[in-house]
């Protein structure tokens, strides 16, 4: 028995060690991921709840590691933040999205795109200039780029974050609070932020069809947001039931697997055509 337990513990330690090795490897390789063309963006559509029209797409990052295969952003974004590499990824993100929007625009598709910013991006004083110069370079209107920032990112340094967001807002970028409901921001904090959009976290949307509590939370969030003059997006819409409920609750935009999973960039034009027809 004691031996079995020792063996278990040994396997546990080996597991820990493997995880540790994996993290070290990811952190090391992250630094070259962008330069070596291992990063890709996938795009997930967002639709207008009432009209069903396409409102835009959220760009989500993917890392195709040469030996480990596809690594999830839930794993590598956190590591990039901890190891001080996130600015590198964000720079790549901004350039790629700018180039992509310009390419679509050249073919007559004026799409609105959302990107995700991390806690460190939001307090980076160089970010507003960098974003502006990319948009300028590709002759794009900043109003077509929505910057998604989580509540928890803002809360890490509210004063600095507020300052950066204010600058971005002044330059015409659209700002959304992502994962709303999962952080601990107070109402007054949200109210003083220069934002236009709240994205209700998918954990509340998943429960819509069978949890009365989640329905209450979603209903009051929509009400609260509207009263503050904000537009509301629901993410994680996976069923027609949630879509129907969100329509009844007056949610402005919907995003989720029920509409589409995130797709490769080359699939976007075909998807739009099929959806529109
Ligand atoms: P997020 O910004 O909250 O993005 C939504 C996540 O939910 C995405 O996961 C998306 O694929 C997934 N999702 C969308 N609809 C559904 C649905 O109906 N059901 C379910 N189960 N999931 C759905 P993904 O792409 O794995 O990204 C995870 C997180 O990684 C993102 O959460 C975001 O916080 C972060 N992330 C992704 N790309 C970037 C990036 O370029 N920069 C930064 N800083 N963070 C990123
Ligand atoms: Ca997001
Ligand atoms: Ca989210
Ligand atoms: Ca998230």
């Amino acid at each position: 028995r004691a031996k079995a337990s020792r063996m278990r513990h040994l396997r546990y330690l080996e597991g820990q060690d493997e995880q540790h090795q994996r993290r070290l490897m990811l952190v090391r390789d992250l630094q070259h991921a962008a330069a070596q063309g291992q990063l890709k963006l996938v795009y997930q559509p967002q639709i207008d709840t009432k009209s069903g029209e396409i409102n835009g797409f959220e760009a989500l990052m993917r890392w195709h590691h040469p030996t480990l295969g596809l690594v999830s952003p839930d794993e590598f974004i956190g590591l990039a933040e901890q190891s001080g590499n996130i600015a590198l990824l964000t720079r790549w993100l901004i350039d790629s999205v700018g180039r992509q929007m310009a390419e679509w625009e050249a073919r007559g598709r004026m799409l609105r795109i959302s990107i995700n910013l991390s806690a460190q991006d939001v307090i980076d004083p160089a970010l507003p200039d960098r974003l502006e110069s990319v948009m300028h370079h590709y002759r794009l209107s900043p109003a077509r780029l929505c910057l998604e920032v989580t509540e928890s990112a803002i809360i890490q340094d509210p004063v600095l974050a507020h300052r950066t967001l204010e600058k971005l807002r002044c330059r015409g970028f659209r700002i959304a609070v992502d994962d709303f409901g999962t952080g601990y921001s107070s109402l007054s904090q949200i109210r003083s932020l220069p934002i236009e959009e709240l994205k209700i976290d998918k954990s509340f949307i998943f429960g819509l069809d069978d949890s009365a509590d989640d329905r209450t939370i979603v209903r009051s969030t929509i009400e609260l947001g509207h009263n503050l003059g904000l537009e509301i997006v629901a993410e994680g819409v996976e069923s027609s039931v949630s879509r129907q409920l969100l329509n009844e609750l007056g949610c402005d935009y919907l995003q989720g697997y029920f509409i589409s999973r995130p797709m490769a960039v080359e699939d976007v034009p075909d998807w739009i055509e099929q959806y529109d027809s």
Side-chain angles (χ1 to χ4, degrees), residues 58-60 114-116 148-150 178-179 199 235 255:
E58 178 176 4
L60 295 155
S114 300
I115 60 171
N116 294 284
E148 300 190 356
V149 185
T150 61
D178 204 354
D179 298 356
K199 286 188 91 166
E235 61 175 27
Q255 191 180 335

Side-chain angles (χ1 to χ4, degrees), residues 44 58 61-62 73-74 116 178-179 202 236 238 256-257 262:
Q44 188 180 35
E58 178 176 4
M61 207 182 285
R62 297 290 179 263
D74 279 330
N116 294 284
D178 204 354
D179 298 356
K202 52 182 179 300
E238 289 190 343
Y257 294 172

Side-chain angles (χ1 to χ4, degrees), residues 14 19 25 32 40 48 63 83 97 124 136 146 165 188-189 207 223 229 235 241 243 255 262:
E14 276 168 9
Q19 272 200 8
M25 188 168 166
H32 312 289
K40 292 262 152 43
D48 185 298
W63 180 13
S83 62
V97 156
D124 178 358
H136 186 80
C146 177
L165 294 181
S188 60
Q189 258 167 328
E223 230 173 77
E235 61 175 27
V241 177
R243 181 179 178 165
Q255 191 180 335

